[in-house]
Amino acid sequence: MEIKRRKSRIVKIGRVSIGGGNPVAIQSMIKFKTSDTARVLRQARELESAGCEIIRLAVKDELDARSLKRVKEQVKMPIVADIHFDYRLALRAIDSGVDKIRLNPGNIYKKDQIRQVVSALKGARIPLRIGLNSGSVKEARSRSMPDKLVNSALEYIRIIEGFKFRDIVVSLKASGVLDTVSAYRKLARLCDYPLHLGVTATGSPFSGAIKTSIALGALLLEGIGDTIRVSLTDTPAREIYAGRAILESLDLRKFGHSIISCPTCGRCEVDLARVVKELEKQLLFLGTKPGVKPLKVAVMGCVVNGPGEAREADLGIAFGKSEGLLFKKGKPVKKVAFQDCARILLSEMERIND
């Protein structure tokens, strides 16, 4: 199956372009107050190492807005300023050199204020994200949440287009999977602006990752979505790992080597979970360099399905009682002692890519 991407216009956010068939970009948000620049910069470096491509920072006051300049000077990733309630903070953030502004139509809605922000965006040649969520829409109570989100977005788009500005990205985040999917589907048919996918207020890291994966997976399978943010009550790096896993599972992006492993059962006679965790830890930050093939590595716990799955991977081990059979490009190579398997797999991966 091949995913047919929705046709959307291209919007450039710093050095990252989204829409128009460009790769689906992954972004996250800094968890600290923007004026706390030391902690912001530390977390930004962690995010960049994890594979983040765009970061967003909350701008609550003048000090935050001015601090954006220092952050911008030291961070390579495009920076989005998240603005609520006070349109003047958007103007200050633009002066500080950010790469995109996010406005919430639920609390910045006066036409003259929007006009001033759009004028500044034009002068700086940077885009706008219209960022709606279910907690801030102001629509008729009788309408469904997806309709409220879509109607609010279209109304805001018409205002901005009236100022001859079309460098726009749109997000419609509800806290429920069904409302989120329905809203994005509706809007995707009604405009060609790139869409920022996400689910808001998802809950704990475990349930949040599941809810987001279902919603974003459904939309991405339909070709809807140009950039994603996985919102978790957790470290932002975890959001990036989850986003990468979603895109890789749909074959929309390849970030590095991947591991497939069985869930284990009563037939497994080794501590397979320990091997998988050890490999994941080693591979997490490796990624792949240009020209290096991302490898699929299988770690299987018994002889029922193990050999077959291992043969389908670039490299794999199927375990018996205390040792496993190493497969390389579908062919059995040698027996490997359990305690040596992680080291040997890593060594063989390097050898394949030599």
Side-chain angles (χ1 to χ4, degrees):
M1 173 183 172
E2 184 178 349
I3 295 174
K4 185 177 180 181
R5 300 277 304 280
R6 164 182 170 265
K7 291 182 179 178
S8 58
R9 62 175 62 221
I10 296 173
V11 170
K12 190 171 183 182
I13 306 155
R15 62 182 184 180
V16 177
S17 293
I18 64 170
N22 282 293
V24 179
I26 301 177
Q27 53 185 285
S28 184
M29 192 166 185
I30 294 291
K31 306 284 186 174
F32 301 116
K33 184 171 172 56
T34 300
S35 58
D36 189 352
T37 51
R39 297 173 83 184
V40 166
L41 291 170
R42 191 181 311 119
Q43 193 162 78
R45 286 191 287 270
E46 292 170 0
L47 279 167
E48 192 165 32
S49 296
C52 184
E53 293 164 312
I54 301 168
I55 58 168
R56 181 158 49 110
L57 288 87
V59 182
K60 293 180 65 178
D61 52 37
E62 285 277 347
L63 184 57
D64 282 344
R66 291 197 301 271
S67 298
L68 285 166
K69 185 174 183 180
R70 183 181 169 195
V71 176
K72 177 64 180 170
E73 288 170 350
Q74 299 187 54
V75 173
K76 295 178 182 177
M77 289 176 290
I79 292 175
V80 181
D82 195 58
I83 310 295
H84 297 267
F85 301 107
D86 188 347
Y87 78 99
R88 292 168 296 184
L89 295 176
L91 304 179
R92 304 291 183 275
I94 293 168
D95 287 341
S96 291
V98 297
D99 300 291
K100 184 169 74 170
I101 294 292
R102 180 266 176 110
L103 294 183
N104 185 342
N107 52 51
I108 296 180
Y109 48 83
K110 293 182 179 179
K111 197 167 182 179
D112 183 61
Q113 295 178 358
I114 299 170
R115 180 190 59 77
Q116 290 185 60
V117 174
V118 169
S119 177
L121 291 169
K122 285 182 179 180
R125 297 185 177 181
I126 61 173
L128 170 70
R129 175 184 148 205
I130 300 172
L132 283 144
N133 57 59
S134 54
S136 64
V137 289
K138 296 180 179 180
E139 274 278 329
R141 290 185 180 181
S142 59
R143 287 179 172 152
S144 68
M145 180 53 66
D147 285 341
K148 289 179 182 180
L149 289 165
V150 171
N151 291 338
S152 294
L154 291 174
E155 182 181 345
Y156 214 72
I157 287 170
R158 282 192 289 270
I159 291 172
I160 293 164
E161 288 179 340
F163 299 129
K164 310 299 181 187
F165 188 79
R166 294 177 181 269
D167 213 3
I168 299 168
V169 180
V170 187
S171 65
L172 308 167
K173 299 183 181 182
S175 58
V177 170
L178 300 182
D179 282 345
T180 298
V181 171
S182 179
Y184 278 108
R185 281 176 176 165
K186 287 174 183 286
L187 188 65
R189 295 192 296 266
L190 297 171
C191 74
D192 67 348
Y193 292 113
L195 299 178
H196 166 128
L197 302 188
V199 182
T200 190
T202 58
S204 69
F206 179 75
S207 64
I210 292 173
K211 287 169 68 174
T212 303
S213 297
I214 294 170
L216 271 58
L219 292 164
L220 291 165
L221 276 169
E222 296 174 17
I224 298 170
D226 303 283
T227 181
I228 64 171
R229 192 263 173 113
V230 178
S231 299
L232 301 176
T233 310
D234 203 342
T235 63
R238 293 286 183 185
E239 298 180 351
I240 301 304
Y241 301 147
R244 287 167 63 130
I246 291 169
L247 295 180
E248 283 195 312
S249 68
L250 297 171
D251 287 331
L252 286 169
R253 299 281 301 270
K254 291 294 182 187
F255 298 100
H257 308 301
S258 61
I259 300 172
I260 59 172
S261 59
C262 72
T264 75
C265 65
R267 288 185 294 268
C268 183
E269 298 185 73
V270 297
D271 188 357
L272 198 74
R274 179 167 67 83
V275 177
V276 172
K277 286 178 182 178
E278 188 176 344
L279 277 173
E280 274 191 330
K281 187 177 179 181
Q282 295 290 330
L283 299 179
L284 193 58
F285 298 105
L286 286 182
T288 50
K289 297 176 183 177
V292 174
K293 175 188 175 185
L295 300 177
K296 182 188 287 187
V297 182
V299 184
M300 312 305 293
C302 75
V303 296
V304 176
N305 295 316
E309 296 284 356
R311 285 193 186 98
E312 290 179 5
D314 296 293
L315 194 66
I317 289 183
F319 283 103
K321 187 170 184 178
S322 59
E323 61 183 12
L325 183 60
L326 177 70
F327 290 84
K328 190 174 181 180
K329 300 195 181 227
K331 296 180 180 179
V333 176
K334 61 181 177 180
K335 290 183 177 180
V336 176
F338 174 74
Q339 63 267 24
D340 297 328
C341 63
R343 176 182 58 79
I344 288 174
L345 281 171
L346 289 166
S347 176
E348 290 292 336
M349 290 171 70
E350 290 180 4
R351 218 171 270 163
I352 288 175
N353 271 308
D354 276 349

